[in-house]
Amino acid sequence: MSDVYTPPEVWQPATSGGKFSGINRPTAGARETRELPVGEHPFQLYSLGTPNGVKVTIMFEELLEAGYSDAEYDAWMIKIFEGEQFWSGFVDLNPNSKIPALLDRSGDTPFRVFESGAILQHLAEKFDYLLPKANPARAETLSWLNWQMGTAPFIGGGFGHFYEYAPEKYEYPINRYAMETKRIFDVANNQLAKTRYLAGDELTIADIAAYPWLGNLYHGAYSGSDRFLSLHEYEHVGRWVKEIDARPAAIRGRLVNTQAMPERHSAADFDAVEDRNLFEPVRKRADA
């Protein structure tokens, strides 16, 4: 780094530039009074096709794939670069103004669930699926779920930000977070050398949480950072990623709230995506 930064006695916000500079502020709460759209299904998801959002759409699609018809959902795109996460309706669901946010209307009293890990656990418990009931399997699953929640900021807000989004490239933060990202991959690789999935031999919400993050990097997110990080070295992570890549629910879930499918209101919505040949690149990931 060419310039040495000396922090002032009291920090003051400054224009930092970069992709997120237009929406980042040191305050919370609604910036615009505006309600959210609502569909007909028991679950209303407000999200975006980022790794944290994809966790939940894959979970819903896995539930539907397994025959849980009561898990039908409407998925509405929240355009975070346009500040829609700061609409009053969204802030009512998630005071932290981050996607995803869920409105559960399946019972007598609708209620909110926010934070992707909380949503996965809520749905798993509600439908008794992908979360073991008894210990030690339950404890192992929740441990890996929370491992992912704790490590994601190092990958996204850390490595991804300084490698891809920061207005200037600096060696120290890139090295710092590249090292941590590789360590995270090594933790997963060591575990997956012993087990088929993170928490054992069965798919769980721990895999659904970790897969969008590790899978995206493994397949070259952040302008081909897989080469920069030598992610091919983590062969057990690669085997696990490709296995989940090929699951029909994962294929569908990765399309929801993206440019290919901004909204999802029924299984029939995927037919239009199929007609435009937008499924094929997603299907091919397992063979990459």
Side-chain angles (χ1 to χ4, degrees), residues 21-202:
S21 61
I23 58 174
N24 285 345
R25 299 178 189 175
T27 56
R31 301 177 189 172
E32 180 180 353
T33 300
R34 190 161 175 179
E35 295 306 309
L36 295 171
V38 178
E40 64 180 30
H41 294 306
F43 298 97
Q44 300 295 303
L45 177 66
Y46 302 92
S47 191
L48 188 64
T50 65
N52 284 335
V54 166
K55 295 176 190 177
V56 180
T57 52
I58 290 178
M59 180 65 181
F60 272 118
E61 294 299 329
E62 287 285 357
L63 287 165
L64 293 169
E65 182 80 12
Y68 294 95
S69 58
D70 291 344
E72 267 296 349
Y73 69 108
D74 293 284
W76 306 90
M77 178 183 280
I78 298 297
K79 300 173 184 176
I80 61 174
F81 290 110
E82 297 179 19
E84 293 181 357
Q85 69 273 36
F86 301 109
W87 289 359
S88 58
F90 190 87
V91 175
D92 286 344
L93 291 183
N94 186 352
N96 196 37
S97 292
K98 303 288 185 182
I99 62 96
L102 179 68
L103 178 64
D104 185 336
R105 307 188 306 168
S106 61
D108 294 335
T109 304
F111 59 90
R112 70 185 186 186
V113 190
F114 59 92
E115 292 296 327
S116 58
I119 295 172
L120 292 182
Q121 185 171 348
H122 169 64
L123 293 173
E125 291 175 340
K126 184 176 186 68
F127 292 98
D128 189 20
Y129 192 59
L130 300 182
L131 176 59
K133 285 185 176 180
N135 290 326
R138 180 182 176 84
E140 186 75 1
T141 299
L142 293 177
S143 294
W144 283 107
L145 171 66
N146 284 282
W147 168 80
Q148 190 284 318
M149 297 296 292
T151 57
F154 291 97
I155 296 176
F159 174 74
H161 176 79
F162 287 105
Y163 186 79
E164 175 78 359
Y165 299 124
E168 297 175 333
K169 299 290 190 289
Y170 290 118
E171 182 180 0
Y172 176 80
I174 290 175
N175 283 346
R176 166 72 177 88
Y177 290 110
M179 182 181 299
E180 184 63 12
T181 299
K182 286 181 68 68
R183 190 193 67 81
I184 290 164
F185 265 77
D186 206 39
V187 171
N189 200 62
N190 290 342
Q191 175 67 10
L192 291 166
K194 299 179 290 185
T195 57
R196 180 179 178 185
Y197 296 106
L198 282 173
D201 292 328
E202 300 292 334

